[in-house]
Amino acid sequence: AGEGRIGTKEFWQVQKRRPWPAQVDLVTPYKMVYLIRHGECIADQCSMEERRSNQNLQDCGLTEKGVKDSKEFSAKMTEKHMNAVELVVSSPLKRALHSA
């Protein structure tokens, strides 16, 4: 590792000490990027064989748990964070759009 760099293990130790969601100073000229995976979808409850053979599972919606998890995540996002959002990029699949 070069001078001033930390390893992956040290990076995650620092991240664990940060409050969530990350405290963002909206004056600082940098962008915060959130990568958020969709909530649990119906296909997640099926076997890989079922997913491959059933076309309806290719673009399915969220389960009740997936909807609940998505709502819980959005509740954690403060008004300050939501006002800072400039762009939301999502897959066109139902599960991603429902989560976005």
Side-chain angles (χ1 to χ4, degrees):
E3 187 175 320
R5 295 177 128 186
I6 62 173
T8 303
K9 183 178 179 182
E10 293 83 8
F11 172 82
W12 288 112
Q13 287 174 345
V14 170
Q15 299 308 310
K16 288 178 186 174
R17 290 193 299 264
R18 288 186 172 180
W20 196 97
Q23 300 300 309
V24 178
D25 174 7
L26 297 179
V27 179
T28 306
Y30 63 84
K31 304 289 183 187
M32 180 65 71
V33 176
Y34 294 97
L35 299 177
I36 305 162
R37 187 177 188 275
H38 61 77
E40 180 186 71
C41 66
I42 297 165
D44 291 337
Q45 297 179 333
C46 299
S47 70
M48 189 59 75
E49 182 70 29
E50 286 177 282
R51 287 189 232 176
R52 287 188 185 127
S53 63
N54 187 341
Q55 291 291 336
N56 293 326
L57 295 176
Q58 304 261 328
D59 187 16
C60 60
L62 299 175
T63 62
E64 287 183 26
K65 180 184 182 314
V67 171
K68 179 179 166 259
D69 291 345
S70 293
K71 287 181 180 180
E72 286 176 3
F73 176 79
S74 67
K76 289 181 182 179
M77 296 294 286
T78 65
E79 185 175 335
K80 181 178 173 181
H81 290 96
M82 294 304 288
N83 289 336
V85 172
E86 295 179 19
L87 176 68
V88 175
V89 179
S90 175
S91 160
L93 296 176
K94 290 177 188 173
R95 60 184 171 258
L97 292 173
H98 290 167
S99 295

